[in-house]
Amino acid sequence: MGNRGNQGEGAAGLEAPMPTFRWEEIQKHNLRTDKWLVIDRKVYNITQWSSRHPGGQRVIGHYAGEDATDAFLAFHRNLDFVRKFMKPLLIGELAPEEPSQDRGKNSQITEDFRALRKTAEDMNLFKSNQLFFLLHLAHIIAMESIAWFTLFYFGNGWIPTIITAFVLATSQAQAGWLQHDYGHLSVYKKSMWNHIAHKFIIGHLKGASANWWNHRHFQHHAKPNVFHKDPDVNMLHVFVLGESQPIEYGKKKLKYLPYNHQHEYFFLIGPPLLIPLYFQYQIILTMIVHKHWVDLAWAISYYTRFFITYIPFYGVLGSILFLNFIRFLESHWFVWVTQMNHIAMEIDREPYRDWFSSQLAATCNVEQSFFNDWFSGHLNFQIEHHLFPTMPRHNLHKIAPLVRSLCAKHSIEYQEKPLLRALQDIIGSLRKSGQLWLDAYLHK
């Protein structure tokens, strides 16, 4: 329970000492209706304010009852500005005898990681190269122009149509990586300019919603591969992931689908359908239900531009089919790239690790090359990106050797794979989880 301390004689006129709390009490406040968290040993009651949190109430709620210092540093660029909003939420601080980390998290790893972050700041690795992102946008616009010119010059036959669809799918995939940069506030120093550019790129160039993306993606970064916290591992009973979930499903005799064949039906319902069906439904529903009218306006501008451009070639129905074929192609690209870094890693319930260890357990890298960097939007440096999400992607390779050294110091595995092996591991992981489910289903 909070200890408000005792003021001795002569203390009149002095500021009252701040209430102190033990971790035992703080950890009780991890409910939807009662949320406390700790940042730099200060205790904050975020219960009422979390609904106004710009990154979404779920992402901040995932740290209720925990130390959130490293997540706070990772997600915010202008710390002084953010701290102004935190002052009214301050209710006390950790008792002097309490450790800075909850639940026995490794304080030495945390200390070393914060020193690494300071080194990255001293190396100016959080400073972006504006020309890099401008050229990236230019090559997206160039592909959009080439796609239109191909149909204008060669007509709408099968071959020009297929070529154009692949060019536009490439443009969409690259726009997806670019909006990811702005969404993480990694381009401009001021958050406001990142937000504006993010809405333009994800809205006008892709027809999606910035608010939907923020709400979903920040949860993934806060608690990667953690069931009930990372939406990317919420498979809606279509797949079972990791080691504990398939065994749990098997013991309970849950068989929504034949999970021992999930590595096979993944090819039919995973990459082909995620963007054109599931994401598209989610995005439209979220914008309407939550009244994200600005995002909806940007999305409408994308569809307006697309149909004005392609109805003259294909008509209304043909343009709709053409659009969905493009998204079908893009969806394959997106799924394989985003899953190669995560699905083969540890996936489980909340393990309550320090920031550094939790990100390393849930992510792996793919070897660097010019093609791999471009193909994955530099998400081949997934470890470094997860540790420093606001770091511009063109600097991730510079911090990678220091991350690798810190892993070696603390005997933490730093996984880096060739591209093809990383893609193969997706299927291998699904096969392994499916077999665990079958064994538990039949024998336990």
Side-chain angles (χ1 to χ4, degrees), residues 68-312:
T69 304
D70 292 301
F72 173 76
L73 295 173
F75 288 129
H76 302 97
R77 298 236 17 188
N78 191 336
L79 298 179
D80 292 334
F81 176 75
V82 176
R83 285 191 173 104
K84 293 178 182 178
F85 294 92
M86 296 167 57
K87 288 181 180 179
L89 311 177
L90 181 64
I91 60 172
E93 60 186 7
L94 285 174
E97 68 275 12
E98 288 291 294
S100 296
Q101 297 296 307
D102 59 286
R103 297 177 174 86
K105 295 175 183 175
N106 193 314
S107 59
Q108 187 58 56
I109 293 178
T110 299
E111 182 180 330
D112 288 348
F113 172 69
R114 291 176 185 173
L116 175 60
R117 183 177 182 86
K118 179 64 168 60
T119 299
E121 292 170 352
D122 293 341
M123 293 171 65
N124 288 322
L125 296 185
F126 290 94
K127 185 177 180 180
S128 70
N129 181 342
Q130 300 294 313
L131 181 60
F132 173 89
F133 294 103
L134 183 62
L135 290 175
H136 195 86
L137 176 61
H139 104 292
I140 292 168
I141 295 173
M143 283 188 282
E144 296 271 352
S145 303
I146 290 170
W148 174 84
F149 182 78
T150 299
L151 294 178
F152 176 79
Y153 188 81
F154 294 102
N156 62 353
W158 281 106
I159 293 178
T161 295
I162 292 172
I163 292 173
T164 300
F166 273 90
V167 171
L168 287 175
T170 302
S171 171
Q172 285 292 290
Q174 292 300 319
W177 308 146
L178 186 60
Q179 69 81 23
H180 179 263
D181 298 316
Y182 287 99
H184 275 297
L185 314 180
S186 66
V187 181
Y188 299 119
K189 190 172 182 180
K190 287 192 174 182
S191 297
M192 180 184 72
W193 292 114
N194 285 297
H195 289 312
I196 292 172
H198 186 217
K199 285 188 180 293
F200 167 75
I201 293 169
I202 196 172
H204 185 67
L205 295 186
K206 290 190 64 61
S209 164
N211 285 323
W212 168 83
W213 184 88
N214 289 341
H215 177 73
R216 181 185 180 92
H217 194 66
F218 291 159
Q219 290 185 76
H220 162 69
H221 268 268
K223 296 289 185 178
N225 285 11
V226 175
F227 289 125
H228 309 300
K229 293 186 177 181
D230 180 0
D232 286 3
V233 294
N234 177 15
M235 293 296 169
L236 303 175
H237 306 302
V238 176
F239 300 99
V240 289
L241 303 178
E243 296 183 1
S244 64
Q245 188 185 57
I247 293 174
E248 179 184 343
Y249 271 48
K251 287 181 176 179
K252 292 181 179 179
K253 308 304 178 187
L254 297 177
K255 187 182 179 182
Y256 297 97
L257 286 168
Y259 298 121
N260 52 311
H261 293 289
Q262 64 178 5
H263 61 287
E264 297 167 340
Y265 66 70
F266 169 79
F267 291 94
L268 300 176
I269 62 177
L273 300 182
L274 182 68
I275 289 180
L277 189 65
Y278 181 61
F279 273 7
Q280 196 55 43
Y281 167 78
Q282 260 199 348
I283 290 167
I284 295 173
L285 184 67
T286 299
M287 289 190 293
I288 294 173
V289 170
H290 294 281
K291 300 179 180 179
H292 295 156
W293 305 130
V294 173
D295 284 7
L296 184 60
W298 277 116
I300 290 173
S301 75
Y302 164 80
Y303 287 108
T304 301
R305 175 174 61 85
F306 183 89
F307 287 120
I308 287 175
T309 303
Y310 293 105
I311 283 177

Side-chain angles (χ1 to χ4, degrees), residues 340-341 344-346 360-367 380-384 404 407 412-418 421 425:
M340 70 183 183
N341 303 109
M345 304 301 290
E346 178 184 303
L360 264 296
T363 57
C364 66
N365 281 6
V366 169
E367 292 175 349
N380 49 327
F381 289 98
Q382 190 73 230
I383 292 172
E384 290 72 25
R404 192 188 291 267
C407 287
I412 296 174
E413 186 177 10
Y414 181 101
Q415 288 196 40
E416 183 178 74
K417 308 173 183 178
R421 182 191 154 195
D425 283 351

Side-chain angles (χ1 to χ4, degrees), residues 312-330:
F313 296 107
Y314 298 111
V316 175
L317 179 60
S319 296
I320 293 173
L321 293 174
F322 186 53
L323 173 62
N324 280 282
F325 181 57
I326 293 165
R327 286 185 168 157
F328 166 83
L329 296 174
E330 181 203 357

